[in-house]
Amino acid sequence: MNGVEEEDPIVYEIAVVVPRRNLKLENEGYDCVEVLVNEFRNVGFVVERVFGLHDEFIKLAAPLETLGRVAAGLNMKKTTHIGVDLQFEWEEIEAFVRQSDGSLFSWCERFQCYRHLIHETVNKKNSDITLKFDGKEIQWEPGESLLQRLELEGIVKQVFPLHDETKRKKLLRSWALNWWDVTTQPIDEINVYFGTKIAVYFAFLGMYTRWMIFPAAFGLILQLVDFGSLKLLVFPAFFISIVLWAVLFFQFWKRKNSALSARWHLNFSSGTSHGYKLSGSEWNCLQPPMELVKDSGIDKTKEKEDFQRYEWFGYLRRCRNDAIVILSIICLQLPFELAYAHLYEVIKSDIMKFGLTAVYLLVIQYFTKIGGKLSIRLIKHENNESTEYQADSLVYKVFGLYFMQSYIGVFYHALLHRNLMTLRQVLIQRMILYEVFENLLENSLPYLKYSYKKFRAVRNKKKREKGSTGKIQFATRVEKEYMKPTYSASICEELEDGLFDDFLELALQFGMIMMFACAFPLAFAFSALSNIAEMRTDALKLLVILRRPVPRAAATIGAWLNIFQFLILMSICTNSALLVWLYDQEGKWKIEPGLAAILVMEHVLLLIKFGFSRFVPEEPAWVRAKRMKNATQAQAMCSKQLLRSISGGDKAFGGYTPRKTSYGTNKTD
């Protein structure tokens, strides 16, 4: 088996960027880059060096045996054929489940091994080693990682993942450029290539778009057909149907999410929230500071009090930070939003209204950046259990900013002025401008940045080689990838990647079409078309415009699910208010049979929202059956192994040997 794996073509998945320079022959043995390359080979990497216009690229590939040894050393847990996660052992390789493409390790697991290996290049001697780089001496201390030292010295510029050209081109043909299959996506191939987090996002986007067909068709009928006096019955029916649609969609999404986790063998323990596999450093974050444990000693009562105090102080700090964010939004952002809404109501010219909305969308970007920086500083003072908990906390805080920006002006027009035409005009402008603005940020700006970097690199090369008259081109793909932008978030790159902006766009769209569904039913059709285009543009963005993202092993959509659920509750309240407004056009607000029916309907829908979780199970029956079967098999195997250990006597228990008495019972020596 190992022989077959060794015959597979070498795939370089990581690149290390260092400056290109002219190396003198007498200094080769002491050059820090040469030493780094030798260290990479010593830890098991296959190394290829590529020279670009300005930089040198060290491409790294790890054979299967190297990855297996590192995974065993990291105590990595993998799913076995009986469905139980066990610590990986290289000698027992056949016991572990492979990926859908036949590979033993997923992209997330391989990246974790790569990251460990490249930092294993440590000085194992007892004294400093003097290295040189362009006449500069660098002291490599004992036990220090050479890569980290060179990063601090500015010699190693970047370490980034590389695209696999064979798989990338295959995904381009079957996914990004396949416009015939409107909502069909190769989710398993996406999971293999990009990792679980991105695959879960596209699975959610595809299912969301398919389910959007029903409200889009219903909304299109309401927009095109004049029901006359029947609209007081048709609009409540539409409102009830889209609430039921949203509730059912998220219940069935939980089922699909559970099925995907079972299909991809994502068996996470109860201790890891949101389906994240915690590393050793993240697991340490789950524990209180060591001072509490050391000071508590053997006093169990005091130890319990210390743990409780640490836990509740963390909750209080989190509540304090949330209160700061909420008060900042109310005191600083709310007046700005109300001023914009009032100006929009006062201005009569449609062109000026459109221009005012465009300027407003630009200005709120600075508000968001300021709020994002404030949120990040507050999160650092919270006792979050892991990096992913910090990311969820950031999502909640930043979405609060966007919620105020996106909806407070619409609430102003809907509930205060009660002008249906103005409300529809605002919704149309918001949705169109927001989609255009987001597409510019997501696709056009990264491509322009990439083109400018290529132009600047060629221009600088021509300046240095003034006698050169030929055309200068990039000879290697790795240099082109180096110049591409990263898949990063607009708020905090340390905690989130580009999926933050993609999920934020979906959440804001969902809130806009749900909360004001009765005012503008056609918005569902517009969103369905937008999401169909979004799937392809996001795929092209990941495969062509941006670098290969760093994988994240998240099995769910995390905090965004709670945000979508919150928006459903808000939509029940806002659409009930809109129906009251349509029914009570004179503004008398009398509790007549129609208004009373709307209030009753609101409470019934709230009850249905919370009752459907019982009606639709979150886990399919086959997933439950498979889990129970795996648990039964694991229990049977453990029981047999335990019986063998008991029968082994001294070998199993280290001298603790049971002996039989005359009564048939066992006594111990």
Side-chain angles (χ1 to χ4, degrees):
M1 188 202 108
N2 291 340
V4 175
E5 293 289 348
E6 290 174 359
E7 293 176 359
D8 290 342
I10 296 296
V11 178
Y12 295 96
E13 297 185 296
I14 300 293
V16 181
V17 187
V18 296
R20 181 175 179 176
R21 77 270 184 236
N22 295 322
L23 184 65
K24 297 181 180 180
L25 295 177
E26 62 270 21
N27 291 332
E28 280 188 4
Y30 303 97
D31 183 75
C32 61
V33 177
E34 297 293 330
V35 174
L36 180 64
V37 171
N38 291 332
E39 289 291 330
F40 282 153
R41 291 194 175 103
N42 291 337
V43 298
F45 280 127
V46 177
V47 181
E48 180 182 347
R49 302 176 69 174
V50 178
F51 294 93
L53 296 180
H54 305 286
D55 300 296
E56 178 184 350
F57 302 91
I58 304 172
K59 297 165 62 178
L60 304 176
L64 178 63
E65 184 174 357
T66 301
L67 294 173
R69 301 293 182 187
V70 175
L74 292 174
N75 298 326
M76 184 181 294
K77 287 191 174 183
K78 286 185 62 62
T79 305
T80 59
H81 288 288
I82 63 172
V84 179
D85 284 359
L86 296 177
Q87 184 175 320
F88 181 78
E89 294 290 344
W90 172 248
E91 291 76 14
E92 306 295 337
I93 188 174
E94 295 294 341
F96 297 94
V97 176
R98 290 179 172 263
Q99 306 299 312
S100 59
D101 64 339
S103 59
L104 180 62
F105 296 101
S106 67
W107 170 226
C108 299
E109 293 167 339
R110 295 200 307 275
F111 185 81
Q112 185 180 353
C113 294
Y114 273 108
R115 186 170 55 182
H116 177 77
L117 276 175
I118 63 177
H119 288 93
E120 277 294 295
T121 54
V122 298
N123 181 5
K124 299 179 181 179
K125 296 183 178 180
N126 297 325
S127 59
D128 292 358
I129 298 178
T130 302
L131 304 177
K132 294 184 179 180
F133 183 82
D134 285 347
K136 178 183 177 182
E137 291 189 351
I138 300 170
Q139 297 299 320
W140 185 18
E141 299 178 358
E144 183 182 24
S145 172
L146 179 57
L147 184 75
Q148 290 182 350
R149 167 52 57 187
L150 297 184
E151 284 178 336
L152 292 174
E153 296 290 340
I155 298 172
V156 172
K157 294 183 177 180
Q158 281 190 23
V159 180
F160 64 95
L162 290 173
H163 278 289
D164 182 346
E165 281 304 299
T166 303
K167 293 181 179 179
R168 189 184 72 88
K169 291 179 180 178
K170 182 180 178 181
L171 280 174
L172 272 175
R173 292 191 299 269
S174 63
W175 179 32
L177 301 178
N178 185 15
W179 288 89
W180 294 107
D181 295 332
V182 180
T183 59
T184 304
Q185 302 177 97
I187 296 298
D188 291 332
E189 288 79 1
I190 297 171
N191 174 50
V192 168
Y193 190 69
F194 287 113
T196 310
K197 182 78 172 179
I198 291 179
V200 168
Y201 163 73
F202 280 103
F204 177 82
L205 178 59
M207 183 175 175
Y208 175 56
T209 305
R210 286 192 297 272
W211 277 63
M212 188 73 74
I213 295 175
F214 166 71
F218 200 164
L220 192 62
I221 293 173
L222 287 180
Q223 192 72 25
L224 297 179
V225 178
D226 184 12
F227 290 94
S229 59
L230 292 177
K231 69 177 182 179
L232 295 179
L233 297 177
V234 174
F235 277 99
F238 176 68
F239 168 43
I240 295 172
S241 65
I242 61 125
V243 171
L244 295 178
W245 165 83
V247 173
L248 283 174
F249 164 71
F250 282 101
Q251 284 301 120
F252 278 94
W253 161 249
K254 293 176 184 177
R255 291 173 59 86
K256 182 178 179 62
N257 199 172
S258 178
L260 289 176
S261 298
R263 194 166 79 195
W264 296 337
H265 311 293
L266 303 177
N267 297 326
F268 299 99
S269 62
S270 59
T272 56
S273 178
H274 306 306
Y276 293 100
K277 287 185 177 178
L278 299 182
S279 61
S281 59
E282 289 178 328
W283 173 254
N284 292 334
C285 295
L286 292 172
Q287 313 299 328
M290 289 302 297
E291 292 79 4
L292 297 182
V293 180
K294 291 179 180 178
D295 294 342
S296 61
I298 60 174
D299 188 350
K300 298 299 182 181
T301 303
K302 187 175 185 304
E303 181 181 359
K304 180 180 179 181
E305 292 177 355
D306 290 339
F307 273 80
Q308 289 179 341
R309 188 181 302 110
Y310 177 80
E311 177 187 11
W312 285 106
F313 278 165
Y315 290 149
L316 290 175
R317 275 194 285 266
R318 200 172 304 162
C319 292
R320 177 202 63 188
N321 294 343
D322 293 340
I324 291 174
V325 172
I326 293 172
L327 289 175
S328 300
I329 293 174
I330 293 175
C331 298
L332 299 178
Q333 192 175 1
L334 182 60
F336 172 77
E337 300 291 338
L338 292 177
Y340 159 74
H342 180 71
L343 286 175
Y344 192 93
E345 190 70 29
V346 172
I347 295 175
K348 302 300 182 182
S349 173
D350 292 338
I351 298 177
M352 292 186 65
K353 287 182 178 180
F354 196 84
L356 178 66
T357 303
V359 172
Y360 163 78
L361 291 176
L362 291 174
V363 171
I364 62 174
Q365 298 302 315
Y366 292 97
F367 275 100
T368 307
K369 289 182 179 179
I370 295 173
K373 291 179 180 179
L374 175 63
S375 300
I376 293 168
R377 297 190 67 175
L378 292 174
I379 289 171
K380 292 180 180 179
H381 298 283
E382 294 179 357
N383 295 339
N384 289 295
E385 297 178 354
S386 67
T387 303
E388 299 302 338
Y389 275 91
Q390 290 182 343
D392 286 348
S393 181
L394 178 67
V395 167
Y396 291 130
K397 291 177 174 61
V398 175
F399 181 77
L401 300 174
Y402 275 96
F403 182 86
M404 182 66 70
Q405 293 170 1
S406 303
Y407 305 128
I408 191 64
V410 188
F411 289 151
Y412 179 85
H413 295 293
L415 303 179
L416 185 62
H417 288 279
R418 306 175 71 179
N419 188 334
L420 184 61
M421 295 304 297
T422 303
L423 177 59
R424 289 178 177 175
Q425 188 178 17
V426 170
L427 291 172
I428 293 172
Q429 290 184 3
R430 286 289 186 92
M431 296 187 71
I432 294 176
L433 282 177
Y434 186 78
E435 290 295 330
V436 172
F437 189 71
E438 283 298 319
N439 285 328
L440 286 175
L441 289 179
E442 288 185 9
N443 303 316
S444 302
L445 287 182
Y447 180 76
L448 291 175
K449 289 180 181 178
Y450 169 60
S451 301
Y452 176 71
K453 284 184 178 180
K454 288 175 60 178
F455 169 76
R456 189 174 61 179
V458 172
R459 184 188 61 185
N460 294 338
K461 184 70 173 179
K462 288 183 178 180
K463 286 183 178 180
R464 287 201 304 268
E465 300 177 1
K466 295 183 179 179
S468 176
T469 57
K471 186 177 180 181
I472 299 176
Q473 294 182 342
F474 295 97
T476 61
R477 180 165 294 277
V478 62
E479 188 171 17
K480 292 181 179 180
E481 288 193 35
Y482 172 59
M483 293 187 177
K484 291 180 180 179
T486 59
Y487 188 52
S488 57
S490 59
I491 298 297
C492 179
E493 297 182 7
E494 296 83 4
L495 298 177
E496 282 287 349
D497 55 15
L499 286 179
F500 173 85
D501 298 298
D502 292 331
F503 270 118
L504 177 64
E505 182 180 355
L506 279 182
L508 293 177
Q509 178 200 88
F510 181 79
M512 193 73 72
I513 63 177
M514 284 294 297
M515 288 194 292
F516 306 99
C518 293
F520 189 44
L522 191 61
F524 286 92
F526 176 81
S527 297
L529 296 175
S530 175
N531 291 341
I532 292 173
E534 184 76 16
M535 280 191 289
R536 306 305 170 187
T537 56
D538 283 350
L540 286 171
K541 175 180 66 176
L542 289 172
L543 292 169
V544 178
I545 300 176
L546 302 176
R547 293 182 190 171
R548 189 177 185 180
V550 173
R552 295 175 62 190
T556 69
I557 63 176
W560 294 106
L561 181 61
N562 294 330
I563 289 175
F564 281 113
Q565 301 283 9
F566 165 75
L567 291 174
I568 293 177
L569 294 177
M570 288 294 300
S571 68
I572 294 175
C573 300
T574 55
N575 281 285
S576 297
L578 287 173
L579 288 176
V580 170
W581 167 30
L582 289 173
Y583 182 83
D584 185 31
Q585 295 182 356
E586 297 180 0
K588 296 180 179 179
W589 297 95
K590 294 181 179 179
I591 304 299
E592 297 179 359
L595 292 177
I598 293 173
L599 294 176
V600 172
M601 180 180 62
E602 178 187 19
H603 288 73
V604 170
L605 287 174
L606 290 173
L607 291 175
I608 291 175
K609 164 67 180 68
F610 292 104
F612 262 67
S613 59
R614 293 280 185 180
F615 180 71
V616 181
E618 296 182 4
E619 190 177 49
W622 71 268
V623 175
R624 289 197 302 273
K626 181 180 179 181
R627 190 182 70 249
M628 294 175 63
K629 178 182 177 182
N630 293 336
T632 303
Q633 290 179 348
Q635 185 179 7
M637 293 188 66
C638 290
S639 299
K640 292 179 181 179
Q641 186 65 32
L642 182 59
L643 289 174
R644 292 193 194 101
S645 301
I646 294 174
S647 63
D650 291 336
K651 294 181 181 179
F653 293 93
Y656 182 84
T657 307
R659 60 181 176 85
K660 278 194 174 184
T661 67
S662 59
Y663 297 100
T665 57
N666 290 339
K667 288 188 177 181
T668 56
D669 294 331

